Structure formats: structure tokens, C-alpha cells
């Protein structure tokens, strides 16, 4: 069953009924001002940081889940009937409801009793505001007299405090209303220099800024008393719950269309120019007024929307493919790339599953996200890398998270996730291969943001590597610390106290438990670092790194191989995890995927065996399960992984993030059929026909699909903000389609299904547009290349030595 359809031409997913199984959302904004918007206009907005600078309020654990948002009400002033054109919150039976989620915008609309209304929600580039462009058409045969009401609820900035500290917060809310503009200025009188505003292009008849006055006692958003009455009370909030609600009247002849533009924005004043006049307590509106005036004008709004479209067309145009599979094309060309930009912007902070008040930007997560977006916004990737590296500790270890507003490491969570530092090496390598910008390695970057501690970025990479070398365990593998990629494999935690964090509780000294996964990661990161060192002219260092890598590979073979697959870890008692000897958790996906993609076991058959074991024990129709058999009880020595019911999350869920590791691993053993088959099993577009089971958005990946041990097998959860986005994008574009960035040029090395006769692609790489045509002449993966008609050796297309900016690459597979 479906709830809509893909409109590929417009790069939109069109939802055709509002009661989707879960809120199906989109993101507004891609620079500093952001919003989450659901298919019923729910969600919230913030400036840079979803926790510290929240603009509108969201209530956690809401019923329904998706309540509170950017709500517009229409009221027929003759009958007094009112409804929401976005369905929520009044939930009337609408005709022709559609929600078009597009690239950076969402258009929601419907018809009700002959009145058609659509709202285009978007954030203009380079502005800290969002626009709701409402278009209303009277399709009745009679003139219509309507009232339009808007509503948003302000958050008192720090969303965590806002949700809990009522004894203070009920007394601090402050607004100003001037010329129809509602200014929210809570705490501006003291230490803040920012405020929010809400305004509209129509003539404001009445307004409200106090929630209780607008909705009325014992009422909610579905039946505000002000809307019912057809007139607001011009309330000015002092304390309690400041909102913005406006009332505009419209008279529409039959067939007539009118537009109203609403603008919700965020603005900062210089500290010494906060008030006007300076000795007053009145907001200085001098610098915000021109911005407001500009965006209440539809010419500017239309232009801004067009610029946004061009922005996305440019970003997505960098890599476009045409394959025999529509789901591959749609995800690569549109949605997967778009999701990679969302994970870049949000990391794991704000979605309907990530509260925005929990995690900031993850060190591991953000480094991996680079794989998916570096080609689209290389300059911002550079900045992100330097920000991340600046939170690294002098030991080479890393804070697990940092806050985007302050760019400081998060002390509550701290560090000691021993895989973390390695991801920096992989992120930097991806950046270098894409851009060729070696200057980044010489950038001075501090440790733990301490002024004076700056060292070239390259040294940060060296310290990352050394961090693990200083932490070898009894088998010569790597000590795991608090956890590795699997945040829930907490081998030093031993927590028996309810409420303790599995990630930050450590009851063991951590000198025994080892991770085979980090060993695989070490091999990959070590190779990348050696390559970088070599190209920096540090041949001796490079040799040394490779020697360490070879040693680690041998150790993995000796202590990390279980006979048919790679082990997962050793626990604090030195016992195996992920072994045939275990009763539960005999085989894990992470080490199979990661060791093989790192190249371990390619020359002695272990890789192929590991892949066959994945296929036999872990692969299901809904994707590859994280581990089997699922843990049926809590194991003190394993931690959070065994806290989840069977089939969910890390306890044998289909954790989509590491499925692409296996896809890449399959390409490394040359199995394009399996690689693409695995790709398709979790491809959200391919799963669209089972939307009633899958339940999450069919246009983006979710972190998890419930595994076969779960009663809800096949149900996805936690969509949008997941490493799944970057890794799937990387797996399909760079390994299956095989258009791979390298230091020496663009490598073309597809490992595609045997049944594919070929595919086409366009890839802009270091300023050159490569038109790539791949054709199958035989069943294998052997590549022969012709560049602008001339055969070349090997599979790397060097950058043109001349002024050519367009290059034709013909690849024949045999
Ligand atoms: C989740 C993990 C997540 C961790 C972050 C755990 O509860 O299962 O997926 O990475 O929390 O703190
Ligand atoms: C989600 C976290 O964001 C990510 O860092 C982690 O690797 C996975 N969960 C697995 O636990």
C-alpha cells in the first residue's frame, strides 16, 4: 500500500493522504536557519542549534505525535465553519489533499467546500527566516468571504529548559507588536541579543500573542476560540506562553486567486544597539525592518524560491546516473543525495526521533557523513573537518559529540569511544580525494579548542592513529573503550542500576575487552593514512603505517577469525563475542562488512567465506540483520545491546547503516549481483509499495528496520538522521556503479549486476564534467577504458592535462 508517489521530474514526493503511518517530514533551510516540517505542517524551527536556539515550540511525547506546527486556519465568514488546509490540527475531510516534499521546500494544500489553498513553505538562501506563501482560490460559483488565521508558538530559546523549567518560564515571556509584526523577545532585556518575529503581507485585522487567549481555556489547536469566533483578542503576552497568531480577511470572487505571505524569522542585533531609543527597553528594529519589507513582497519571494531551486539543481547535478533500475536512479539523483545534506546539517540532532535536545553533532557520525556530501559542498566539508578536529583531545581521542552553536566538545558524554578518532582519517581522506586540496593538512587546528595548542591537521591524523596503537589489548587487537561503532556494545559498563547511561557508565578499567571491528577500521584508516603520508613525501612514516596495518591484519586472521566468519569482540573476561561458541550473538554484521571492505581476507578466501556466512545467516528480505541469534535476555557484560527486545535496534535489528558495508564488501569480492540485491532490499523507494509495513518515509533511509525476531518485522524506525544515508550513497555511487574518487583522478570500476547491460552517468569532479558510458561485453568486472575515444591503461581517468572541461569516458566490462 502507498500513501503517495514519486514525482521525479520535479524532484518531489507527493503524499496524497494526510494520515501517513508516521509524520513524513522534510527539512527547510540548509545554512543556519532550519525547520522540520511534516506532511501536515507540523514541526518546529531553530537557528543553528536545535537545543540552544529553538524558535518555535514542540511538545515531546505529543498525542498525536505530530502536533504543533505552522498552522493556518481558514474560516468561512458566512457559515462560521473553519478548517485547516494542511489537515492538522482540525482534521477535516479534505478534498484533493497533497503534500509535495521537494528539495528544501514543502507545499501542502487541499480543497474544502470549493476553497483551494496551498502553502509553499521554504527558507530563502542566505536568510534567517522562513516563508509560508499561501495561495487561495475560490472555486465556488459565489463570492467567498474568508478569514485567514495563522499560528505559531514560540519556544523560550533553550528547548530543554523550555520543556522543564516552568516555575521561571511562565513569568518571563515577552513580546512587542508593532505595525502588524509580532516580535518575540523573551530574555532580550538581559543577556540575549536575538529575537524572533512573525508577520504577514495581508492587512492584520486582529492578532493574539498569548496562547491561552487564542485557543481558549481547555481547548487545543484543533478548535481555537479565536478562530471559532472569527476575531482575535489582540492579546499581548506577559509571561505564560507567547505565540504569534494573525487574522486577515479576504473577499474572493468566483475563480479569483489571492496570496498572503507569512514570514517567521530570527534576528540578531549588535550588543550595543539592542534598544531603540538606546535608554529604552524597546527592541531596535532598524536592521530587521528592511528584511521584513523585502520578503513581504511576492517578487522577492518568487525570486528567492527560484534561487533555491537552482541551488539544489546545481548540487544534485554533480552526480547523475541513468541505470536500468528506477529506484537506484531516484535515490542517487535525488533523495539519497538530499538526505546526505540533511545529515550534514543536522548530524543526529533534530528529527521526529532525535529530539534536538539530546545529542549535538557526533564525532563519528559527522565524519562518516562526509562520505555522502563532500562532493556537493566541499568548502563546508572543509570547515566541518576543521571544527571536528578542533574538538579532538591531545591524546588523539575525541569527544563523542559537540554542540554546533558553541563548537565545543560535550562534557556530559565525554570520550573514550575508541573507534572515534579513526573516522577523522577516513573523513579527511574522502575530502582530499574529492578536492585535491592538500592545503587542509597544513591548517593549524587546536586540541580541545585550547588556544595555543594548534598543530597542523595532519598531526591530528597521526595522533588519531597513535591513540589506538596505545590501546592494544591482550590479543593485540584494539581495546574497545566505552563502545565502538556499535554504541550499545558496552563491554566495560556492567550496569545494573536503572537509568544509568550505558554510554557513560564504566565499571571496568577497560584493559581486556577488545573490538575486532576497530581492528578492521584500523586497517582501513592505516592504509588511508599511509597513502596520505606517502603523498606528503613521508615515505618512512608511510612504510611504518603499512607495517602496523600488516601486523593488525595478521592479528585479525589469528584472533579475529572464527572459522566461517570474523569474530566481533572479546569481552571483559576475554571471552569471544560473535562466535559459533556463543549461545546467542554468534555472528555479527559489522566485522564481516568492515574487515572485507578494508581488504582483510581478500587474498586468502576469508573474505568470500565471510560474505557467504552473511548471506546464509544474516540476510533477510528486509535487509541484513545486525547479529544472530538475537539476545533473549540482558547480559551484564554486553551492555545496551542486550537491553533491546529481540529484533530491535542493535539487538538483531536491520541496522541499515552497516548494510552498505556488506554491499561494498561484496563488490570487493566481485559479486555485483549480491551487492545490488542487498542495496535494493533496503532502498526506501523500492520499499514504497509496502509503505503500510515500512511506515517511515519512502524517500529517505531509516536507521533501522525491525529484524525477523521482532513482532513488527519489516517496520522501519528513526528516519532521516543516520549514517545509512552517506554509506548507501557511497556504496552505490563509488563501489557498485564504481565511480570512485581517487588522488590521481576519477576511477571507473563498476561491479554491477550481470543482467545490467550498462549504465550512464555524469560526474563533475574537480571542475571537470565526466560523461560516463558503461557497457557490458561479458559477465565479469574487468574494465577497459577509452577517454575521449583514446584507450587508456588501468581504471583511473586522470584529470585532463589541457583546457578540456568535458570528458567522455567509455567503459567496457568483460
Ligand atoms: C542507541 C544507539 C545510539 C545511542 C546514542 C542508543 O540507545 O541504540 O543507536 O547510537 O543510543 O547515545
Ligand atoms: C547511532 C549513532 O549515531 C552511531 O554513531 C552509532 O554508530 C549507531 N547508532 C550504532 O550504535
Amino acid at each position: 500500500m502507498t500513501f503517495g508517489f514519486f514525482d521525479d521530474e520535479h524532484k518531489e514526493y507527493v503524499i496524497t493522504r494526510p494520515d501517513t503511518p508516521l509524520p513524513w517530514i522534510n527539512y527547510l533551510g540548509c545554512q543556519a536557519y532550519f525547520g522540520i516540517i511534516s506532511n501536515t505542517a507540523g514541526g518546529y524551527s531553530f537557528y543553528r542549534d536545535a537545543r540552544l536556539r529553538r524558535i518555535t515550540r514542540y511538545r515531546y511525547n505529543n498525542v498525536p505525535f505530530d502536533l504543533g506546527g505552522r498552522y493556518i486556519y481558514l474560516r468561512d465568514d458566512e457559515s462560521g465553519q473553519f478548517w485547516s488546509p494542511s489537515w492538522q490540527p482540525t482534521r477535516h475531510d479534505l478534498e484533493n489533499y497533497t503534500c509535495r516534499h521537494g528539495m528544501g521546500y514543502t507545499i501542502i494544500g487541499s480543497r474544502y467546500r470549493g476553497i483551494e489553498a496551498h502553502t509553499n513553505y521554504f527558507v530563502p538562501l542566505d536568510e534567517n527566516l522562513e516563508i509560508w506563501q499561501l495561495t487561495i482560490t475560490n472555486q465556488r460559483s459565489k463570492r467567498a468571504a474568508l478569514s485567514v488565521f495563522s499560528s505559531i508558538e514560540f519556544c523560550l530559546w533553550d528547548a530543554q529548559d523550555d520543556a522543564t523549567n516552568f516555575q521561571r518560564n511562565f513569568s518571563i515571556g515577552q513580546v512587542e507588536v508593532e505595525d502588524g509584526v509580532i516580535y518575540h523577545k523573551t530574555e532580550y532585556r538581559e543577556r540575549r541579543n536575538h529575537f524572533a518575529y512573525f508577520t504577514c503581507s495581508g492587512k492584520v485585522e486582529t492578532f493574539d500573542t498569548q496562547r491561552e487567549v487564542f485557543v481558549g481555556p481547555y481547548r487545543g489547536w484543533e478548535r481555537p476560540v479565536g478562530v471559532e469566533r472569527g476575531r482575535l483578542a489582540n492579546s499581548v503576552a506577559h509571561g505564560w506562553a507567547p505565540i504569534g497568531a494573525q487574522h486577515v480577511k479576504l473577499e474572493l470572487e468566483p475563480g479569483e486567486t489571492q496570496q498572503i505571505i507569512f514570514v517567521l524569522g530570527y534576528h540578531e542585533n549588535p550588543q550595543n544597539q539592542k534598544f531603540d531609543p538606546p535608554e529604552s527597553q524597546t527592541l531596535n528594529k532598524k536592521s530587521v525592518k528592511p528584511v521584513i519589507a523585502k520578503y513581504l513582497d511576492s517578487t522577492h519571494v518568487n525570486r528567492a524560491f527560484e534561487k533555491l531551486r537552482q541551488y539544489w539543481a546545481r548540487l544534485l547535478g554533480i552526480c547523475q546516473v541513468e541505470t536500468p533500475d528506477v529506484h537506484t536512479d531516484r535515490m542517487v539523483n535525488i533523495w539519497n543525495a538530499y538526505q546526505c545534506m540533511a545529515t550534514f546539517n543536522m548530524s543526529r540532532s533534530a528529527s521526529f526521533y532525535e529530539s534536538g535536545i539530546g545529542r549535538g553533532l557526533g564525532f563519528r557520525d559527522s565524519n562518516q557523513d562526509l562520505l555522502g556530501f563532500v562532493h556537493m559542498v566541499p568548502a563546508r566539508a572543509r570547515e566541518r573537518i576543521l571544527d571536528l578536529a578542533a574538538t579532538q583531545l591531545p591524546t588523539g581521542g575525541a569527544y563523542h559529540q559537540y554542540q554546533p552553536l558553541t563548537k565545543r566538545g560535550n562534557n556530559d558524554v565525554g570520550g573514550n569511544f575508541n573507534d572515534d578518532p579513526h573516522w577523522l582519517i577516513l573523513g579527511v581522506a574522502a575530502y582530499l580525494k574529492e578536492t585535491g586540496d592538500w592545503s587542509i593538512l597544513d591548517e593549524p587546528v587546536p586540541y580541545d579548542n585550547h588556544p595555543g595548542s594548534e598543530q597542523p591537521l595532519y598531526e591530528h591524523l597521526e595522533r588519531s592513529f597513535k591513540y589506538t596503537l596505545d590501546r592494544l589489548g591482550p590479543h593485540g587487537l584494539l581495546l574497545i573503550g566505552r563502545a565502538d561503532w556499535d554504541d550499545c556494545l558496552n563491554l566495560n559498563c556492567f550496569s545494573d542500576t536503572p537509568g544509568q547511561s550505558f554510554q557513560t557508565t564504566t565499571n571496568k578499567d577497560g584493559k581486556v575487552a577488545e573490538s575486532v571491528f576497530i581492528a578492521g577500521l584500523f586497517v582501513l584508516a592505516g592504509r588511508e593514512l599511509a597513502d596520505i603520508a606517502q603523498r606528503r613525501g613521508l615515505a618512512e612514516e608511510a612504510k611504518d603505517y603499512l607495517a602496523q596495518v600488516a601486523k593488525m591484519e595478521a592479528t585479525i586472521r589469528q584472533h579475529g577469525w572464527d572459522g566461517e566468519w570474523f569474530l566481533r569482540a572479546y569481552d571483559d573476561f576475554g571471552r569471544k563475542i560473535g562466535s559459533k561458541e556463543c549461545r546467542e550473538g554468534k555472528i555479527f554484521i559489522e566485522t564481516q562488512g568492515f574487515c572485507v571492505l578494508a581488504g582483510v581476507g581478500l587474498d586468502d578466501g576469508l573474505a568470500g567465506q565471510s560474505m557467504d556466512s552473511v548471506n546464509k545467516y544474516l540476510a533477510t528480505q528486509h535487509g541484513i540483520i545486525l547479529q544472530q541469534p538475537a539476545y533473549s535476555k540482558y547480559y551484564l557484560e554486553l551492555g545496551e545491546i542486550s537491553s533491546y527486545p529481540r529484533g530491535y535496534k542493535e539487538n538483531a535489528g536491520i541496522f541499515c547503516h552497516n548494510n552498505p558495508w556488506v554491499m561494498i564488501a561484496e563488490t570487493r569480492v566481485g559479486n555485483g549481483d549480491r551487492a545490488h540485491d542487498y542495496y535494493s532490499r533496503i532502498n526506501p523507494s523500492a520499499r514504497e509499495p509496502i509503505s503500510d509495513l515500512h511506515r517511515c518515509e519512502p524517500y529517505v533511509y531509516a536507521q533501522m528496520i525491525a529484524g525477523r525476531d521482532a513482532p513488527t518485522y519489516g517496520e522501519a524506525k528513526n528516519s532521516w538522521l543516520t549514517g545509512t544515508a552517506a554509506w548507501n550513497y557511497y556504496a552505490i555511487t563509488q563501489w557498485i556503479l564504481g565511480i570512485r574518487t581517487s588522488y590521481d583522478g576519477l576511477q571507473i570500476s563498476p561491479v554491477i549486476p550481470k543482467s545490467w547491460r550498462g549504465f550512464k552517468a555524469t560526474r563533475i569532479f574537480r571542475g571537470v564534467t565526466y560523461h560516463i558510458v558503461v557497457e557490458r561485453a561479458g559477465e565479469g568486472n574487468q574494465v577497459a577504458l577509452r577517454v575521449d575515444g583514446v584507450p587508456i591503461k588501468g581504471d583511473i581517468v586522470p584529470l585532463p592535462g589541457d583546457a578540456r572541461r568535458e570528458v567522455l569516458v567509455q567503459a567496457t566490462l568483460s
Side-chain angles (χ1 to χ4, degrees):
M1 176 182 175
T2 57
F3 294 80
F5 60 91
F6 285 93
D7 178 347
D8 293 336
E9 197 193 321
H10 295 101
K11 303 190 182 69
E12 292 173 341
Y13 191 82
V14 188
I15 301 166
T16 48
R17 47 185 290 182
D19 56 341
T20 48
L22 289 161
W24 284 8
I25 71 160
N26 193 10
Y27 285 92
L28 306 178
C30 48
Q31 291 157 312
Y33 185 105
F34 296 105
I36 294 174
I37 184 159
S38 76
N39 56 306
T40 65
Y44 56 86
S45 301
F46 57 94
Y47 174 74
R48 288 195 192 277
D49 193 312
R51 171 168 172 190
L52 298 177
R53 211 49 66 86
R54 186 77 66 91
I55 296 167
T56 59
R57 183 172 277 166
Y58 175 71
R59 255 172 218 81
Y60 296 95
N61 283 321
N62 245 337
V63 183
F65 196 13
D66 173 19
L67 185 63
R70 303 166 180 84
Y71 293 143
I72 287 173
Y73 303 84
L74 298 182
R75 180 177 186 276
D76 187 330
D77 284 339
E78 255 163 53
S79 65
Q81 255 214 342
F82 64 91
W83 71 98
S84 316
S86 61
W87 195 57
Q88 280 258 69
T90 66
R91 294 193 291 272
H92 281 75
D93 256 335
L94 303 171
E95 302 154 38
N96 289 353
Y97 160 92
T98 53
C99 165
R100 290 183 167 265
H101 282 318
M103 304 289 105
Y105 66 89
T106 287
I107 303 172
I108 308 176
S110 59
R111 196 172 60 210
Y112 188 72
R113 308 231 161 145
I115 304 295
E116 193 167 305
H118 285 89
T119 312
N120 183 5
Y121 298 90
F122 72 99
V123 175
L125 291 171
D126 305 319
E127 299 289 4
N128 293 323
L129 55 89
E130 66 184 65
I131 293 197
W132 317 352
Q133 190 174 19
L134 169 68
T135 309
I136 307 186
T137 305
N138 177 11
Q139 293 180 342
R140 298 177 182 168
S141 52
K142 288 194 336 199
R143 169 171 233 256
L146 302 174
S147 279
V148 179
F149 296 90
S150 62
S151 69
I152 47 112
E153 182 171 15
F154 292 109
C155 180
L156 307 186
W157 303 117
D158 179 335
Q160 168 115 322
D161 185 80
D162 177 80
T164 48
N165 192 7
F166 304 118
Q167 60 82 25
R168 169 176 163 86
N169 293 342
F170 283 165
S171 294
I172 63 172
Q174 286 193 301
V175 297
E176 273 179 40
V177 184
E178 191 183 303
D179 301 334
V181 186
I182 295 167
Y183 296 91
H184 173 230
K185 58 166 197 176
T186 299
E187 288 188 341
Y188 188 81
R189 68 200 301 276
E190 20 113 4
R191 291 161 296 174
R192 295 187 184 274
N193 67 336
H194 42 267
F195 58 88
Y197 57 91
F198 188 43
T199 182
C200 80
S201 64
K203 176 171 169 277
V204 177
E205 300 282 334
T206 57
F207 64 87
D208 266 322
T209 68
Q210 184 58 276
R211 187 184 72 216
E212 190 81 346
V213 177
F214 177 68
V215 297
Y218 286 93
R219 292 181 182 226
W221 299 103
E222 74 289 347
R223 209 163 51 91
V225 71
V227 176
E228 192 176 271
R229 189 173 52 219
R231 194 170 22 84
L232 305 184
N234 294 348
S235 57
V236 175
H238 301 284
W240 298 113
I243 62 160
Q246 293 128 341
H247 168 208
V248 174
K249 285 191 171 177
L250 290 185
E251 299 261 324
L252 290 171
E253 296 301 331
E256 191 185 345
T257 297
Q258 288 193 28
Q259 256 192 19
I260 306 178
I261 298 160
F262 296 89
V263 180
L264 171 64
Y266 167 91
H267 196 76
E268 288 177 3
N269 274 336
Q271 200 60 35
N272 57 356
Q273 293 167 33
K274 281 175 57 170
F275 302 105
D276 181 27
E279 63 285 358
S280 75
Q281 289 290 298
T282 310
L283 269 182
N284 180 351
K285 307 180 184 86
K286 281 204 186 89
S287 58
V288 77
K289 278 188 173 167
V291 185
I292 292 178
K294 179 172 175 186
Y295 287 102
L296 291 182
D297 173 346
S298 64
T299 320
H300 284 291
V301 169
N302 295 338
R303 206 174 291 151
F305 188 60
E306 191 42 44
K307 264 175 70 181
L308 185 67
R309 275 193 183 272
Q310 285 165 7
Y311 171 83
W312 280 107
R314 187 182 65 73
L315 290 195
L316 300 182
I318 294 168
C319 178
Q320 288 286 302
V321 303
E322 217 183 298
T323 75
D325 177 39
V326 62
H327 306 297
T328 301
D329 292 1
R330 184 178 279 156
M331 291 312 287
V332 170
N333 296 341
I334 307 170
W335 291 100
N336 194 177
Y338 183 64
Q339 186 180 3
C340 287
M341 287 299 290
T343 61
F344 159 57
N345 284 319
M346 301 287 135
S347 191
R348 307 297 172 266
S349 70
S351 72
F352 264 86
Y353 309 87
E354 300 286 6
S355 66
I357 53 180
R359 307 198 257 171
L361 268 69
F363 192 89
R364 173 199 299 139
D365 297 324
S366 293
N367 273 303
Q368 288 176 69
D369 291 344
L370 279 159
L371 293 174
F373 71 80
V374 63
H375 64 295
M376 290 186 277
V377 284
R380 297 178 73 193
R382 190 180 208 274
E383 186 189 342
R384 175 63 51 86
I385 288 172
L386 298 177
D387 286 349
L388 282 163
T391 68
Q392 190 177 25
L393 298 160
T395 56
Y399 280 107
H400 199 46
Q401 292 156 12
Y402 75 96
Q403 281 309 125
L405 195 72
T406 60
K407 297 192 175 178
R408 292 290 186 275
N410 185 344
N411 270 315
D412 298 344
V413 184
N416 293 338
F417 295 75
N418 285 351
D419 66 313
D420 268 340
H422 280 307
W423 299 109
L424 181 66
I425 300 175
L426 300 190
V428 171
Y431 173 80
L432 291 173
K433 288 178 193 170
E434 180 67 43
T435 62
D437 168 23
W438 290 84
S439 74
I440 193 173
L441 294 176
D442 298 315
E443 282 289 337
V445 184
Y447 289 96
D448 197 6
N449 278 296
H450 266 316
S453 66
E454 289 81 2
Q455 291 292 333
L457 177 66
Y458 180 70
E459 173 162 334
H460 284 254
L461 305 188
E462 290 181 302
R463 287 202 200 177
S464 293
F465 196 70
K466 187 160 177 309
Y467 175 85
T468 34
L469 271 182
D470 291 345
R471 286 162 179 77
L472 295 182
H475 296 93
L477 295 161
L478 280 324
L479 293 174
I480 193 166
R482 284 178 167 170
D484 58 21
W485 172 87
D486 185 342
D487 277 322
C488 301
L489 197 60
N490 316 117
L491 305 182
N492 295 301
C493 174
F494 285 76
S495 171
D496 56 8
T497 307
Q500 266 181 348
S501 156
F502 286 105
Q503 272 82 43
T504 59
T505 304
T506 308
N507 282 314
K508 296 285 169 173
D509 61 7
K511 297 274 165 26
V512 181
E514 296 168 291
S515 161
V516 180
F517 171 78
I518 306 183
L521 180 59
F522 177 96
V523 169
L524 184 66
R527 291 220 165 97
E528 295 287 9
L529 190 55
D531 222 353
I532 294 171
Q534 184 73 37
R535 282 159 200 273
R536 245 175 111 74
L538 304 168
E540 277 309 303
E541 275 189 29
K543 240 170 77 188
D544 192 45
Y545 291 135
L546 288 180
Q548 298 289 358
V549 164
K551 199 164 149 207
M552 190 57 72
E553 276 200 78
T555 309
I556 295 177
R557 283 202 183 84
Q558 194 185 348
H559 296 295
W561 181 253
D562 198 49
E564 274 180 86
W565 57 77
F566 293 99
L567 284 174
R568 179 61 177 83
Y570 286 90
D571 71 13
D572 184 60
F573 306 104
R575 293 180 312 212
K576 291 174 183 168
I577 298 175
S579 158
K580 54 182 179 296
E581 294 166 19
C582 306
R583 208 174 57 77
E584 299 182 330
K586 288 176 189 287
I587 172 170
F588 281 66
I589 189 174
E590 298 100 312
T591 37
Q592 318 316 321
F594 221 90
C595 289
V596 176
L597 85 79
V600 182
L602 286 179
D603 45 8
D604 57 8
L606 299 192
Q609 251 182 299
S610 151
M611 288 300 100
D612 288 344
S613 297
V614 169
N615 192 258
K616 192 160 153 198
Y617 300 111
L618 298 177
T620 76
Q621 56 171 317
H622 294 294
I624 309 167
I625 294 182
L626 193 141
Q627 134 272 44
Q628 283 285 281
Y631 294 116
S632 59
K633 61 180 181 99
Y634 178 53
Y635 293 83
L636 189 67
E637 69 278 20
L638 299 182
E640 185 170 2
I641 190 169
S642 60
S643 76
Y644 285 112
R646 297 191 307 154
Y648 293 105
K649 298 275 293 183
E650 284 85 344
N651 187 14
I654 295 155
F655 219 91
C656 299
H657 183 151
N658 42 36
N659 276 231
W661 299 347
V662 175
M663 296 167 205
I664 299 172
E666 285 288 5
T667 67
R668 297 221 63 182
V669 299
N671 199 336
D673 279 326
R674 262 202 207 152
H676 194 268
D677 178 17
Y678 290 153
Y679 174 75
S680 302
R681 295 187 200 191
I682 62 166
N683 182 321
S685 162
R687 294 173 64 78
E688 188 199 19
I690 52 165
S691 287
D692 44 338
L693 171 67
H694 185 79
R695 299 184 82 231
C696 279
E697 296 92 329
Y699 41 92
V700 289
Y701 287 96
Q703 182 200 56
M704 186 208 58
I705 297 172
R708 72 175 155 222
D709 301 284
T712 59
Y713 179 35
E715 177 193 22
K717 224 176 263 173
N718 195 357
S719 54
W720 282 97
L721 304 184
T722 157
T724 310
W727 276 102
N728 271 287
Y729 189 81
Y730 180 65
I732 185 72
T733 56
Q734 301 219 16
W735 293 90
I736 299 178
L737 301 179
I739 305 169
R740 198 174 316 144
T741 57
S742 87
Y743 296 116
D744 302 318
L746 196 60
Q747 189 172 2
I748 311 292
S749 180
V751 184
I752 52 177
K754 289 202 182 67
S755 63
W756 283 20
R757 301 196 37 209
F759 69 91
K760 286 188 192 152
T762 313
R763 176 67 154 88
I764 303 175
F765 175 64
R766 303 203 201 162
V768 178
T769 304
Y770 292 87
H771 302 280
I772 303 158
V773 183
V774 177
E775 275 170 359
R776 251 206 193 294
E779 293 216 320
N781 306 311
Q782 203 59 41
V783 190
L785 291 186
R786 274 184 304 152
V787 178
D788 282 335
V790 183
I792 64 159
K793 274 212 187 109
D795 61 3
I796 296 182
V797 186
L799 283 155
D802 49 30
R804 267 178 303 163
R805 282 292 162 263
E806 306 258 334
V807 171
L808 173 65
V809 183
Q810 289 159 292
T812 311
L813 295 184
S814 57

